[in-house]
């Protein structure tokens, strides 16, 4: 299969999601060694889960299928440029390559505008729209201290 074939599958998932009423117009596949190992379409409204974006669903599906939390040997095909949350998940999963169809500007034109979030990310926590205040940092540090000294930890 070609890159175009994989993108067409992501696009098919996006239209299937719209037509079935499961969520917004977004689809995604994760590919490893020339085969699809994860699929997802936007399921935000049908699952009442604001994190159920197509990329997140596909990454979760691929990780389950491959029994791993790192997809460093995979490629992601998304029907639209990933939002900040999905882009972060792509980095956390260590996916090295992404192809996308629609741009984030295309998404903004139909009501999916992530520019506000992109603008919030570089701000110091105290300047963000969402109120963020440190609380019980000393107590919270206990888990970090234990993690730092844990000899059998699985790094990710």
């Amino acid at each position: 299969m070609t890159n175009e074939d994989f993108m067409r599958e992501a696009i098919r998932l996006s239209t299937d999601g719209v037509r079935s009423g499961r969520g917004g117009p977004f689809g995604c596949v994760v590919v490893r060694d020339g085969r699809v190992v994860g699929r997802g379409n936007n399921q935000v409204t049908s699952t009442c889960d604001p994190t159920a974006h197509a990329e997140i669903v596909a990454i979760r599906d691929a990780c389950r299928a491959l029994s791993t939390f790192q997809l460093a040997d995979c490629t992601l095909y998304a029907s639209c440029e990933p939002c900040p949350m999905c882009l972060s998940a792509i980095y956390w999963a260590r996916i090295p390559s992404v192809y996308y169809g629609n741009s984030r500007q295309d998404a903004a034109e139909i009501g999916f505008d992530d520019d506000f979030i992109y603008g919030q990310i570089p701000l110091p926590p105290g300047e963000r729209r969402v109120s963020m205040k440190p609380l019980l940092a000393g107590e919270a540090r206990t888990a970090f201290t234990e993690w730092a000294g844990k000899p059998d930890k699985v790094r990710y």
Side-chain angles (χ1 to χ4, degrees):
M1 291 183 69
T2 67
N3 288 330
E4 289 80 7
D5 293 328
F6 294 125
M7 181 58 74
R8 285 188 183 101
E9 176 64 4
I11 293 167
R12 183 191 67 76
L13 289 167
S14 72
T15 55
D16 285 355
V18 170
R19 292 172 184 163
S20 70
R22 287 191 304 262
F26 305 98
C28 182
V29 294
V30 176
V31 174
R32 178 183 185 202
D33 295 331
R35 69 180 184 89
V36 175
V37 294
R39 285 182 170 79
N41 64 292
N42 184 285
Q43 299 173 18
V44 170
T45 57
S46 61
T47 62
C48 298
D49 179 354
T51 68
H53 289 200
E55 296 91 336
I56 302 294
V57 173
I59 288 169
R60 289 174 180 164
D61 190 40
C63 287
R64 273 191 303 274
L66 299 174
S67 297
T68 184
F69 54 85
Q70 292 190 354
L71 303 173
D73 56 353
C74 295
T75 301
L76 186 140
Y77 297 81
S79 65
C80 186
E81 182 179 353
C83 74
M85 177 184 67
C86 294
L87 182 59
S88 296
I90 289 164
Y91 276 100
W92 282 118
R94 309 291 195 265
I95 297 171
S97 184
V98 174
Y99 292 90
Y100 63 90
N102 296 306
S103 70
R104 68 193 232 201
Q105 292 80 15
D106 296 329
E109 289 175 11
I110 62 165
F112 295 94
D113 191 354
D114 299 324
D115 280 341
F116 170 75
I117 298 170
Y118 280 107
Q120 291 286 298
I121 292 170
L123 296 176
E127 294 179 24
R128 294 181 184 150
R129 175 91 44 97
V130 173
S131 175
M132 300 183 76
K133 299 173 184 135
L135 182 64
L136 299 176
E139 291 180 36
R141 201 163 337 279
T142 301
F144 278 20
T145 301
E146 288 185 25
W147 176 260
K150 186 173 174 56
D152 60 341
K153 64 184 159 227
V154 177
R155 294 188 180 274
Y156 59 95

